[in-house]
Amino acid sequence: MDSLFQWITAIQILTFLQTPYLIRGEYKIVHPESPVIGFLGEDVTLPCRVTATSIPGDITLHWRLVRPQENIDVSSYNRGNKEEKQDERYWGRTEFFHHEMNTGNMSLKLKNAQVSDAGNYMCRVVSENWYDEVVIELHVTARGGESSIFMEDYADQGIGLTCRSEGWFPEPQVLWLDSKGQKRTEKPTTSNTKTPAGIYNIESAINIEPGSDNEVSCKIINNILKTASESRVLISDVFFPTTSPWMTAFLIILFLSVALIATVGYKLKNNNDTTSRSDKECLSSQRESDKKTGKIAIQEIQENIDRLSAELEFRRAQSYAVPITLDPDCKHPELKLSEDQKRVWKDPSSPELDAASWALLVVGKEGFVVGRQYWEVEVGEKLDWELGVLCQSVRDRVKREKAETLPEEGYWSLKRSQGDFFSSIENAKIEKRDGPYKVIGVFLDREEKKISFYEAEVMLLITTVPADFTEKFLYYPFLSPRNNTGEQKALAIHPIRVPVPLKPLRKEK
């Protein structure tokens, strides 16, 4: 009898010991596959889901922040008595999904995420005879603002550039790159400032030496999001200004031509002085005719000088040619770019726009901070388009808001509407002269504070617009195809062939 009682007692004990494990096997918390990423100032959900056929009504849910120095009981909830508790540091910032607990959703919503919220959170679910727990890793980050490059000063024979951006977390990585996307050889100096809120403001400086790659990129990388903010500038050769040999030769030829005309005129005057009085009387009528012919010749010479001077001015502008590419991240959504990012057109499938919103923009990738730059745009025979230069703040607005129209200020442009030309200065109409107007040259001259527009095929100056540039700010090319839809009506960056100076046929001794 005692032996039978011992067996029954042993079976009861074993059954009692196995009960939690059997029940625990019926319930399980799903472990998240990757850390949770939350953004500063935004809400984030810490996932915790129980898989079961039915959820007991007496469970207690605990969320705890686990740290080496201390554990914080963030929030807890008892389904039996509906009691909810919060740590004072999280007061008003946590919320459970009460209506979804029957389906196993034990997640916690954390409102207005802060830098101090990052860490490992334990989700623990406890019932009368069962429990389970899982740890969720929370990363808190901030996307950061757009990066901008500024010219600070001249350093020795180079130029000092500074890259700035605000609102980053955690502390990002800053890279200075060349035109090939490779890390530059110059050594930058980076000083990041941590604000009271715990985020970082970025400032990195670098000196670009003459003769090095003049395309400069500042890239700021968020290593949590694996994303980056990048700004790029193209610095023209402003450190060692030189005069091209072909231009020097042209000026010499022009000077010799004027000297030759003056010499011929002087000899004719001497011949007239030595002529006898009788001869003068006989030749008086001839001289009157010669005067008229001389006036015509002088007028033709003056016209030639004006034409050659205009050509010389155009060639000087064209010698500052820079490469331009269009930025796919800084354009209106209804505009399409070619694969090489040199051509832009309006999507034919987009809805028709009224005249006020025709100025759909695309901005160039290259921003210019100093010196002179020239580029050309092929407009073909289209009668409606707009192109020119805009400042950094307008470019940022286009990129941020995908703006359809240009603001009242901050840009300088040449616009063609129904065949007529207009300047951005008070929308003044420009007198049109004979010319094909198929390729338009744009000359950005920050030193003279002006922007000139040329008919590039015949080297004709269309208009010059005064510009009040702000020192150390970037200025960008922009295009607008207006109502020209379809790839066949695209505006295109036109390749420029600058004359190559002639080399001497023999070496000087």
Side-chain angles (χ1 to χ4, degrees):
M1 189 70 179
D2 292 339
S3 176
L4 179 62
F5 177 76
Q6 291 175 350
W7 274 104
I8 293 173
T9 302
I11 291 173
Q12 290 175 341
I13 293 172
L14 288 172
T15 303
F16 175 77
L17 292 174
Q18 288 295 321
T19 297
Y21 295 97
L22 292 173
I23 295 177
R24 188 175 183 182
E26 297 176 2
Y27 299 87
K28 184 180 180 181
I29 298 178
V30 179
H31 195 284
E33 297 180 355
S34 58
V36 177
I37 297 177
F39 295 96
L40 280 175
E42 300 181 15
D43 298 348
V44 59
T45 298
L46 302 176
C48 182
R49 179 169 292 277
V50 176
T51 57
T53 55
S54 64
I55 304 297
D58 63 343
I59 64 169
T60 301
L61 177 59
H62 296 276
W63 277 92
R64 172 177 292 181
L65 176 58
V66 182
R67 287 177 173 168
Q69 62 274 23
E70 67 169 336
N71 294 331
I72 301 175
D73 292 322
V74 177
S75 189
S76 64
Y77 177 69
N78 189 316
R79 287 195 74 190
N81 57 22
K82 310 299 182 184
E83 182 181 7
E84 187 171 336
K85 297 180 181 180
Q86 287 180 334
D87 185 273
E88 60 181 6
R89 286 164 286 190
Y90 289 84
W91 186 257
R93 292 205 300 124
T94 62
E95 182 180 312
F96 290 106
F97 298 85
H98 298 286
H99 299 295
E100 299 180 20
M101 285 187 176
N102 284 332
T103 61
N105 187 2
M106 307 297 166
S107 304
L108 180 70
K109 177 186 284 187
L110 185 59
K111 302 177 181 179
N112 188 23
Q114 302 172 7
V115 171
S116 58
D117 293 337
N120 294 323
Y121 288 79
M122 177 184 292
C123 173
R124 183 182 178 92
V125 183
V126 181
S127 183
E128 181 180 0
N129 54 5
W130 167 85
Y131 82 93
D132 199 3
E133 60 189 28
V134 69
V135 176
I136 295 96
E137 185 179 4
L138 173 63
H139 292 167
V140 178
T141 185
R143 296 182 178 90
E146 292 287 336
S147 60
S148 299
I149 299 177
F150 301 87
M151 184 189 114
E152 291 298 333
D153 53 18
Y154 289 95
D156 296 328
Q157 294 182 337
I159 185 173
L161 300 180
T162 299
C163 178
R164 296 191 182 97
S165 185
E166 297 180 348
W168 292 82
F169 186 84
E171 189 171 5
Q173 181 183 8
V174 182
L175 297 177
W176 288 90
L177 308 176
D178 58 20
S179 59
K180 298 179 181 179
Q182 303 297 320
K183 191 174 180 181
R184 297 191 68 93
T185 57
E186 300 91 345
K187 293 183 178 180
T189 302
T190 302
S191 57
N192 300 332
T193 305
K194 192 174 183 179
T195 67
I199 61 176
Y200 291 89
N201 295 334
I202 311 303
E203 182 169 314
S204 182
I206 193 171
N207 291 331
I208 307 300
E209 298 297 329
S212 61
D213 192 332
N214 62 351
E215 187 172 314
V216 184
S217 295
C218 172
K219 189 173 186 178
I220 304 178
I221 303 172
N222 184 316
N223 288 315
I224 291 181
L225 299 176
K226 307 300 181 185
T227 59
S229 174
E230 184 173 3
S231 289
R232 180 169 62 166
V233 295
L234 186 65
I235 304 173
S236 60
D237 188 10
V238 298
F239 305 110
F240 304 101
T242 57
T243 303
S244 299
W246 62 263
M247 191 178 295
T248 302
F250 181 81
L251 291 173
I252 292 174
I253 292 172
L254 182 62
F255 173 77
L256 291 177
S257 299
V258 174
L260 179 60
I261 293 170
T263 302
V264 172
Y266 177 76
K267 288 186 175 182
L268 288 174
K269 182 179 181 303
N270 286 343
N271 290 337
N272 287 336
D273 290 341
T274 57
T275 305
S276 63
R277 292 181 180 180
S278 59
D279 292 337
K280 287 182 180 179
E281 293 175 358
C282 296
L283 297 176
S284 59
S285 60
Q286 181 68 33
R287 284 161 56 184
E288 289 297 326
S289 176
D290 290 342
K291 285 181 181 181
K292 294 180 180 180
T293 304
K295 287 181 180 181
I296 296 173
I298 291 173
Q299 185 178 355
E300 291 179 351
I301 291 171
Q302 186 61 50
E303 290 176 354
N304 287 332
I305 291 175
D306 293 341
R307 180 181 58 80
L308 293 174
S309 298
E311 181 179 345
L312 178 62
E313 186 66 23
F314 172 79
R315 292 296 187 188
R316 185 183 75 91
Q318 198 181 50
S319 68
Y320 291 95
V322 293
I324 298 294
T325 51
L326 304 176
D327 191 348
D329 297 325
C330 194
K331 70 175 183 66
H332 193 275
E334 294 179 12
L335 295 182
K336 300 294 183 181
L337 297 186
S338 59
E339 186 175 349
D340 62 357
Q341 299 174 2
K342 297 290 187 181
R343 304 170 70 244
V344 59
W345 63 92
K346 182 172 174 286
D347 188 357
S349 62
S350 61
E352 291 295 328
L353 301 173
D354 56 28
S357 60
W358 270 359
L360 306 184
L361 307 181
V362 59
V363 183
K365 287 183 178 180
E366 295 79 9
F368 306 109
V369 70
V370 292
R372 299 182 172 102
Q373 293 82 29
Y374 175 89
W375 61 92
E376 292 179 355
V377 180
E378 185 176 347
V379 298
E381 297 180 353
K382 290 175 280 297
L383 301 180
D384 290 281
W385 43 261
E386 189 167 5
L387 53 87
V389 177
L390 50 77
C391 67
Q392 183 174 330
S393 60
V394 176
R395 178 251 189 191
D396 292 343
R397 177 193 164 199
V398 172
K399 187 171 185 178
R400 182 177 61 253
E401 302 177 5
K402 309 300 181 185
E404 292 184 354
T405 58
L406 287 163
E408 294 183 358
E409 57 184 16
Y411 77 99
W412 304 265
S413 71
L414 175 68
K415 178 174 66 176
R416 193 171 193 183
S417 178
Q418 298 180 355
D420 293 325
F421 290 97
F422 297 88
S423 166
S424 59
I425 304 299
E426 299 180 351
N427 201 31
K429 187 175 181 179
I430 300 170
E431 181 182 355
K432 183 180 176 184
R433 290 180 284 178
D434 292 337
Y437 295 100
K438 294 182 179 180
V439 179
I440 306 299
V442 184
F443 182 38
L444 170 61
D445 190 344
R446 293 196 59 166
E447 297 181 13
E448 298 292 335
K449 295 186 177 181
K450 63 182 181 180
I451 299 172
S452 300
F453 297 92
Y454 292 91
E455 203 305 321
E457 291 188 346
V458 295
M459 297 175 284
L460 172 68
L461 177 65
I462 301 173
T463 188
T464 295
V465 179
D468 187 15
F469 298 116
T470 301
E471 187 178 359
K472 300 178 183 178
F473 270 45
L474 289 167
Y475 291 85
Y476 295 82
F478 80 89
L479 306 179
S480 173
R482 292 171 66 82
N483 64 341
N484 293 292
T485 59
E487 188 174 358
Q488 69 277 9
K489 293 185 178 180
L491 299 187
I493 301 299
H494 188 259
I496 302 174
R497 296 178 178 86
V498 179
V500 178
L502 296 176
K503 297 181 180 180
L505 296 177
R506 59 181 181 180
K507 295 182 179 179
E508 297 182 0
K509 296 181 180 179

